[in-house]
Amino acid sequence: MSIKRRPDRSITLLSLGHACVDVYQGAVAALVPFFVAERAYSHAAASGVVLAASLLSSVVQPLFGALTDRWAMPWLLPLSALTGGAGVAASGVVDSYALTLTVVAVSGIGVAAYHPEAARAARAAAHGSHTAMGWFSLGGNVGFALAPLLVTAVVATGGLGASPLLMVPAVVGAALCAAAVRSAAGGGAPVGQGEGDGSDDWGSFLRLSGAVVCRSIVFVGLSAFVSLYVRERTGGGNVSGTAALCVLYVGGAVGTAAGGRLADRYGRLTVVRHAYVLTGLAVAGVVLVPGPSVYLFVALTSAGLYVPFSLHITLGQDYLPRRVGTASGVTLGLTVSVGGLATPVVGALADATSLRTALVPLIALPVLGRLLLCGLREPAPPGRGSAAAGASGRRPRAASA
């Protein structure tokens, strides 16, 4: 059953809570320079800290999705927010490498536990509005982007010993999630119940997941290397590289918000397919077109990567209407880990050749993702059926490639 009242309030609370939780997705990587400086971690040891958080989080996230498919667990939202924050807050004060790995892994588990239930709750509160889901996704992206600023403000001032202050977003996020649960309960349905009737379309879901993997590799690869690449291309030093990274993140925020609105008007698959085409062309511009125009192509790449971000989630949920939690866990977690695993390959290729040569394969991945989307049907949102799909301008029959 959908939430009937105050959907705007519930989505707002969930979006803000999402921002607070996803601070901890970006916080671990932001702490790495401080671990190296204060604890003399090697680059390999520092990479191990990031891997402990991100890989474990991504792997267990589908498991939490499967659990939320069996039982509604709204209490998991505030608890997971606190768990995610506690691990990061403790990472600066524990006194051994093994304990550091342990606490950041705990943080990763907290983040993993949050997303499937939160995505399901947001979908129920959104009443099928892709714009509302876009705002929910935007919250997470904003939190991720703000993490380096927050970590630097706290740790650069007080050292790693000040890391317990990083618990503040978790406490705020837990309060927001608890308020979202109460708001949803006041609307007549528990947070987390949003499944519809219909059969699971695993074939379409796996093809969609393959496209998301392609998107993930491009995004993570550019996030890791675009700053260095733009510095090489423009000769502008650290400022030019940082500016390119800011363009990538700011463009992502705009793209996420725009994606939901475009989908409400034109249909999800239409928007997603065009976004993959835009991404391929834009990445080619980043790699091949010389001069300051690289910033324009970075912005276009960012928009292309982020416009389909929330649409991937709702499409996955609708392809697996009986396993909404599993679909949310995979589209938000497992596929993202592949992007992280592929990044060292890009780095190794750059060491062997050049950074520009290493980025060339990224041009092909949006093309591959677009091919995987060919022939997919627009699924009817749970409980709305084909009539609802037609009312929103979407066609349930197979769209052209």
Side-chain angles (χ1 to χ4, degrees):
M1 178 184 297
S2 297
I3 297 170
K4 296 298 184 183
R5 284 178 283 174
R6 294 186 291 181
D8 291 341
R9 173 177 167 80
S10 295
I11 284 292
T12 299
L13 292 170
L14 288 167
S15 299
L16 293 172
H18 195 188
C20 292
V21 172
D22 274 14
V23 162
Y24 301 106
Q25 292 228 65
V28 174
L31 283 166
V32 163
F34 299 100
F35 287 140
V36 172
E38 292 193 28
R39 297 179 178 177
Y41 282 0
S42 67
H43 289 94
S47 298
V49 174
V50 177
L51 190 63
S54 61
L55 185 59
L56 183 60
S57 174
S58 298
V59 170
V60 303
Q61 199 155 215
L63 301 180
F64 280 105
L67 289 175
T68 60
D69 283 333
R70 295 180 62 87
W71 302 284
M73 297 187 288
W75 50 267
L76 193 59
L77 298 180
L79 177 61
S80 58
L82 293 172
T83 304
V88 168
S91 66
V93 295
V94 295
D95 58 2
S96 73
Y97 182 67
L99 283 176
T100 301
L101 293 180
T102 300
V103 295
V104 298
V106 168
S107 176
I109 292 173
V111 171
Y114 170 83
H115 282 100
E117 185 73 7
R120 190 214 300 255
R123 186 67 194 277
H127 284 302
S129 167
H130 306 311
T131 299
M133 284 299 293
W135 285 113
F136 170 73
S137 298
L138 176 62
N141 293 330
V142 169
F144 182 86
L146 289 177
L149 299 177
L150 175 65
V151 169
T152 300
V154 171
V155 182
T157 302
L160 286 173
S163 65
L165 292 175
L166 297 175
M167 188 68 186
V168 172
V171 174
V172 175
L176 290 166
C177 290
V181 170
R182 290 194 298 271
S183 178
V191 171
Q193 291 184 354
E195 300 91 335
D197 297 328
S199 59
D200 293 333
D201 184 353
W202 281 100
S204 295
F205 179 75
L206 291 175
R207 289 169 63 187
L208 174 70
S209 298
V212 176
V213 167
C214 293
R215 181 259 178 207
S216 173
I217 294 174
V218 174
F219 175 72
V220 178
L222 284 179
S223 296
F225 298 112
V226 72
S227 179
L228 292 173
Y229 178 70
V230 170
R231 283 167 57 187
E232 289 182 3
R233 291 291 302 277
T234 64
N238 291 333
V239 173
S240 63
T242 301
L245 196 59
C246 288
V247 170
L248 185 68
Y249 287 147
V250 171
V254 175
T256 302
R261 292 186 178 276
L262 290 170
D264 280 331
R265 182 168 183 177
Y266 299 108
R268 290 175 291 183
L269 280 174
T270 297
V271 173
V272 170
R273 287 174 176 136
H274 281 84
Y276 275 74
V277 173
L278 172 63
T279 302
L281 295 172
V283 173
V286 171
V287 177
L288 302 176
V289 177
S293 59
V294 67
Y295 291 104
L296 171 62
F297 288 107
V298 169
L300 291 174
T301 299
S302 179
L305 289 170
Y306 271 102
V307 160
F309 186 82
S310 65
L311 309 182
H312 289 146
I313 301 170
T314 60
L315 281 167
Q317 291 171 335
D318 289 349
Y319 282 133
L320 300 185
R322 296 183 181 275
R323 293 174 175 83
V324 171
T326 298
S328 302
V330 170
T331 52
L332 283 170
L334 187 60
T335 50
V336 175
S337 69
V338 178
L341 294 174
T343 300
V345 177
V346 178
L349 182 59
D351 288 336
T353 57
S354 69
L355 187 51
R356 182 178 186 181
T357 300
L359 294 178
V360 168
L362 299 185
I363 300 172
L365 288 170
V367 178
L368 177 58
R370 176 64 181 84
L371 292 174
L372 289 170
L373 296 169
C374 289
L376 286 184
R377 296 174 180 268
E378 176 71 54
R384 293 178 66 186
S386 59
S392 61
R394 298 182 296 272
R395 297 184 180 183
R397 56 186 173 85
S400 62

